[in-house]
Amino acid sequence: MEIFKNKNFSLMFFGRILTNIGDSLYAVSAMWLVYNLGGSSFYTGLAGFLSILPKIIQLLSGPMIDRIPIRGILVYSQLIQAVLLLIVPIAAYYDFLTVGLVLVITPILNICNTWVYPVQMSALPRVLEKHQLTQGNSLFSIAYQGIDVACNAISGILIVALGAVSLYFWNAIGFFIGALLFSQLRIAPYIMESKMKKEQDTYDEIMEPVNRSKTAGIRLFFRNYKDDLVSGIKLLTRTALAKLLFGIMVINAAGGATFSVLPIYSDEIGGADIYGLMLMAQALGSVIGATCAPYLRLENVRLGLLYSVAYIISGIAWIGCIFTPWSWLSILVYGLAWLPGGAVNVIINTVVQKGVPQRYLGLVFSATMALSGIAMPIGSLIGGTLGVWLHSSTVITLCGITVVLVGVYWMFDRVSRNLPKTEQLDEGYFNFTPRDATARSNTEVGA
């Protein structure tokens, strides 16, 4: 393939594959190890909750990524992860491995990983020709989804064959190799040398007031970011789309709760290999749903009806996987539970992009990222806590019932039911103006 003749792209692509493999395997092995060391769903729930920190860091990392050399970010993120991963087998060898140590290391690993994907996406335009960008993005997406499915499929087998602690060691080796690959990158700086002085002079002139006080500049950045995020959240609550988006948050929380007790449920019906297969089924269901979405012409169905029916079906399958008599059937039905969501969620970004005025897209997307990112870890903590008192199958059943109830609510709620088809949306449909802008223009805008 012509694109792989580009050395920089090949290095980033294969380095990303190694990173994806490491991420997927240690995510599964960490949950299993936390469950084995802690002996309680509370710890698996807490492990899921701690992933909230990387979500927050990721929201704040965008402006920083543009100011740090790409190769340095990629190399050092891999090295830090490799060193952290080695702590677990070393601790096990010297007999001081505890659930607390794993819980401390896991979110730090996730924070390091949050930098890799956006950095690579921002680097692609400097690595590829314009006509190759679509192909490059597609290859990165396929590799990401495919590796997630494959690693979930074999992770349970590897945990049984090698042990969760050994997986940490081999993951560390993979990250060291990834760092070696990324160290070979030769990517031109964003500002070409011939233009650098002119650009720097302009930048210094613009930034002179801020540079007088670095502390003031940092405060200004975080204040502006917080104001935009709060404004975006307020905007969401003032549109007809609000009930749909907040319903999805509840469903994400149910997914986090299920994930926190899944190691226990899997152990009860078969062990670590079942856990890996359940995760594989979940990933496959989402991927198959997303792949089929363009062929199902979902744009021709009213949004409220589409989401209502999809998640009622999903919730029923979610519940049904618990009451099947065979473990293989439980895995199959659990995978089917994720298929409708994978299909309908493909169009949610299109809905926002088409129905929200372009000048407010950044506000809305940053708000939805924050809300969605927080919902799942909170659900994980709730699910893990419930798992202390309730059977794991009961927690999963309650999560399925929650998903069904959200779907039923959408079906009977007048606002949700009257949402239009995606193909009928235009930029003026979700018409709103931030409160500050409204005050300045003295114009009343209807929600």
Side-chain angles (χ1 to χ4, degrees), residues 428-444:
Y429 187 83
F430 300 119
N431 188 24
F432 50 76
T433 304
R435 187 171 299 170
D436 292 342
T438 304
R440 286 192 299 268
S441 63
N442 292 320
T443 301
E444 183 175 352

Side-chain angles (χ1 to χ4, degrees), residues 121-181:
M121 292 297 98
S122 67
L124 275 185
R126 298 183 230 174
V127 169
L128 298 175
E129 300 292 335
K130 287 185 178 180
H131 69 276
Q132 294 177 312
L133 283 175
T134 300
Q135 184 183 17
N137 281 309
S138 177
L139 286 169
F140 267 67
S141 179
I142 291 170
Y144 179 80
Q145 297 287 352
I147 287 170
D148 194 36
V149 172
C151 287
N152 285 338
I154 66 171
S155 57
I157 298 172
L158 291 176
I159 289 173
V160 172
L162 302 176
V165 172
S166 295
L167 279 184
Y168 274 78
F169 173 79
W170 292 110
N171 278 338
I173 300 300
F175 281 117
F176 277 124
I177 297 173
L180 181 62
L181 289 176

Side-chain angles (χ1 to χ4, degrees), residues 179-198:
L180 181 62
L181 289 176
F182 289 139
S183 69
Q184 305 304 307
L185 288 171
R186 297 294 181 268
I187 300 176
Y190 182 70
I191 301 175
M192 302 305 293
E193 288 205 17
S194 59
K195 300 179 180 179
M196 191 174 291
K197 188 176 187 308
K198 180 180 178 181

Side-chain angles (χ1 to χ4, degrees), residues 40-104:
S40 170
S41 65
F42 172 76
Y43 292 107
T44 57
L46 183 58
F49 177 73
L50 290 174
S51 66
I52 195 172
L53 181 59
K55 298 288 184 184
I56 295 172
I57 296 296
Q58 189 173 38
L59 286 173
L60 300 173
S61 65
M64 305 175 198
I65 286 173
D66 294 330
R67 292 166 171 80
I68 304 175
I70 287 172
R71 185 174 63 177
I73 294 177
L74 293 175
V75 170
Y76 287 113
S77 66
Q78 304 304 290
L79 290 176
I80 293 171
Q81 288 184 89
V83 171
L84 288 171
L85 286 167
L86 284 177
I87 292 175
V88 170
I90 291 172
Y93 182 80
Y94 288 103
D95 200 26
F96 65 90
L97 179 61
T98 64
V99 65
L101 181 62
V102 179
L103 288 173
V104 169

Side-chain angles (χ1 to χ4, degrees), residues 229 233 236 245 249 352 363-373:
L229 187 60
I233 293 172
L236 289 177
L245 292 174
M249 283 179 55
V352 174
L363 292 177
V364 173
F365 275 121
S366 64
T368 53
M369 283 177 62
L371 293 172
S372 298

